[in-house]
Amino acid sequence: MIKLRLRIACDPALEPFVVRIAEKDPQCDEDAVVAAQVPTGLVYRTTQVTFRIEGISHSEIVGDVLLIDPRRQIAHRLIRSSSPHNTLLVTEQCDQLCIMCSQPPKARHEDMFRFFLAAVKLAPPSIQIGLSGGEPLLHKAALFRFIDAVFTSRDDLTFHILSNGQHLTRDDLPWLRQHRERLLWGVPIYAADPRSHDEIVSKPGAFEQLSNGLAILGRAGAALELRTVILIQNVQLLPQLADFISRHVSFAMTWAIMQMERIGFGRMNWAECFFDNSIDFSSIGTAIDLMRARQQDVQLYNFPLCTVPPAYRDVAALSISDWKQKYLPCCAKCGLRDHCGGFFAWYREEDGFRGIQPQ
Ligand code: SF4
């Protein structure tokens, strides 16, 4: 797995700070250049500070933007220059408790926006950066201020915001319209009937709030990606959900049908929730057929390609982020490997798909 946290050594009395690992000549005060190579790692210096990074080569992190935490002697790789999968965790707080949540919520919130702003200003040109949680819109005012500040100084960046879509109001319409070209909203919906959706997210009234949020995104002309994790609890409801989306949320750019991650609540509830689509694809296939017939875009995220019947493989995306992706030993001899997104790093063969078949 790609390391997102690096061991460092620097003065523990310093406040946290953001730097960019520079190729050669520094372009700004935040650029860190190699000052020395020592047996324990590489020593970097900016105009202000010196620090050492251990356990990784310069070429692996050049161009990366790091948040240095001197107290914990850790560097967080906030933005990796070579990756298309950069996501900033806005908060671990959430107002739902989804039964398959990969990042179970925490009560405490630490506002990181000042570091995120410093980091994003140093990002490579023209990239899309993810903003996720928890529920980012629990801190809506600060989030909107952060996005405004980024767009003031960088007109080449865009954001993908993962949100439960329940905290938008009509007052947000002007702001949403102002930024609609540069924001893509990823919003989960688990069923077309309120009771099933609310049960999956463990929040009464969630579906109704979500419907209001989707209506506001629609009125704003926002770019929307709907997301549905398939579970034992909702897989048979997918055709009904496809019908609902194509009738009532047809402005969505795409609908992502997703396999679950075996981590967080997903690991705890794996046996009760994981649906093995390698054995039965019928409900998913019917939902895709319906979307295609109505000329609505649909995609499959996190599905190993051999678990998808050939007629549907064209909608399977390489969706698993590089830092948490793996393949199985049997994949080495598979002709589909280059087109297959593989597995999450925490996937286990013993309770996973029964139909993995190298092609
Ligand atoms: S065998 Fe591995 S590489 Fe081949 S399609 Fe299946 S999961 Fe993908």
Side-chain angles (χ1 to χ4, degrees):
M1 229 166 45
I2 293 169
K3 291 184 198 169
L4 297 186
R5 276 200 235 177
L6 307 173
R7 266 185 301 124
I8 58 141
C10 78
D11 179 355
L14 291 171
E15 290 296 314
F17 57 96
V18 169
V19 296
R20 176 172 59 193
I21 302 299
E23 172 91 63
K24 282 195 205 122
D25 304 328
Q27 306 293 313
C28 60
D29 286 348
E30 292 81 18
D31 272 349
V33 293
V34 178
Q37 181 152 18
V38 295
T40 47
L42 285 160
V43 178
Y44 288 89
R45 66 172 160 70
T46 70
T47 54
Q48 311 280 327
V49 290
T50 301
F51 58 94
R52 188 177 75 233
I53 300 183
E54 301 170 4
I56 198 159
S57 67
H58 178 68
S59 62
E60 287 175 90
I61 56 172
V62 71
D64 286 6
V65 184
L66 311 180
L67 170 59
I68 307 285
D69 182 344
R71 189 175 61 80
R72 296 167 66 203
Q73 301 284 288
I74 283 173
H76 300 270
R77 294 171 81 182
L78 291 184
I79 298 175
R80 287 177 298 127
S81 64
S82 60
S83 173
H85 303 290
N86 287 299
T87 295
L88 303 173
L89 185 69
V90 170
T91 184
E92 293 185 271
Q93 293 177 325
C94 190
D95 55 338
Q96 300 192 144
L97 274 179
C98 300
I99 54 176
M100 69 314 199
C101 178
S102 58
Q103 178 110 26
K106 294 187 179 155
R108 197 168 156 270
H109 171 69
E110 190 178 355
D111 188 317
M112 300 290 284
F113 284 119
R114 67 188 188 285
F115 300 120
F116 292 165
L117 181 57
V120 167
K121 284 181 175 176
L122 299 169
S126 305
I127 62 168
Q128 183 180 73
I129 296 171
L131 299 172
S132 78
E135 173 47 49
L137 288 184
L138 291 180
H139 303 276
K140 186 165 71 175
L143 176 71
F144 283 13
R145 276 197 304 273
F146 161 73
I147 291 171
D148 284 336
V150 171
F151 288 168
T152 301
S153 60
R154 292 286 304 257
D155 59 9
D156 58 325
L157 300 179
T158 57
F159 288 109
H160 177 277
I161 307 174
L162 266 183
S163 166
N164 65 27
Q166 295 171 33
H167 302 277
L168 295 167
T169 68
R170 293 159 66 100
D171 292 344
D172 298 321
L173 278 168
W175 189 89
L176 291 168
R177 287 185 178 127
Q178 183 190 353
H179 295 314
R180 67 182 163 200
E181 308 294 335
R182 300 175 64 186
L183 299 179
L184 171 59
W185 296 85
V187 178
I189 181 167
Y190 297 111
D193 82 280
R195 195 168 59 90
S196 301
H197 177 89
D198 291 0
E199 274 176 16
I200 288 170
V201 303
S202 314
K203 180 180 171 186
F207 186 88
E208 192 182 337
Q209 287 182 38
L210 168 62
S211 301
N212 294 337
L214 292 175
I216 287 166
L217 288 170
R219 283 187 62 187
L224 172 67
E225 171 200 62
L226 288 169
R227 296 180 150 220
T228 304
V229 177
I230 57 154
L231 307 161
I232 288 171
Q233 288 78 355
N234 69 352
V235 69
Q236 300 309 330
L237 305 174
L238 276 194
Q240 184 192 0
L241 180 54
D243 182 55
F244 176 87
I245 290 170
S246 60
R247 286 180 192 277
H248 302 294
V249 205
S250 58
F251 67 91
M253 278 174 51
T254 193
W255 177 32
I257 301 172
M258 303 171 64
Q259 254 299 356
M260 64 182 281
E261 283 189 62
R262 195 185 178 286
I263 195 168
F265 291 157
R267 184 172 72 174
M268 212 168 78
N269 296 326
W270 185 260
E272 294 77 39
C273 293
F274 172 66
F275 178 79
D276 185 353
N277 63 274
S278 70
I279 303 303
D280 178 6
F281 200 81
S282 56
S283 178
I284 304 169
T286 303
I288 295 173
D289 290 343
L290 196 145
M291 293 295 279
R292 282 174 164 165
R294 295 184 184 169
Q295 299 181 341
Q296 299 263 186
D297 195 72
V298 60
Q299 297 191 62
L300 295 171
Y301 288 1
N302 317 335
F303 285 69
L305 211 48
C306 55
T307 71
V308 176
Y312 300 101
R313 288 183 184 166
D314 61 314
V315 295
L318 302 175
S319 53
I320 300 180
S321 302
D322 53 359
W323 63 270
K324 56 180 177 179
Q325 183 194 38
K326 74 171 181 184
Y327 292 89
L328 304 181
C330 69
C331 300
K333 55 176 189 259
C334 176
L336 291 178
R337 194 184 185 287
D338 289 349
H339 307 285
C340 171
F343 302 84
F344 289 103
W346 24 85
Y347 169 80
R348 286 199 327 186
E349 283 182 76
E350 51 265 47
D351 53 7
F353 301 98
R354 282 176 286 165
I356 297 298
Q357 295 279 355
Q359 313 276 304

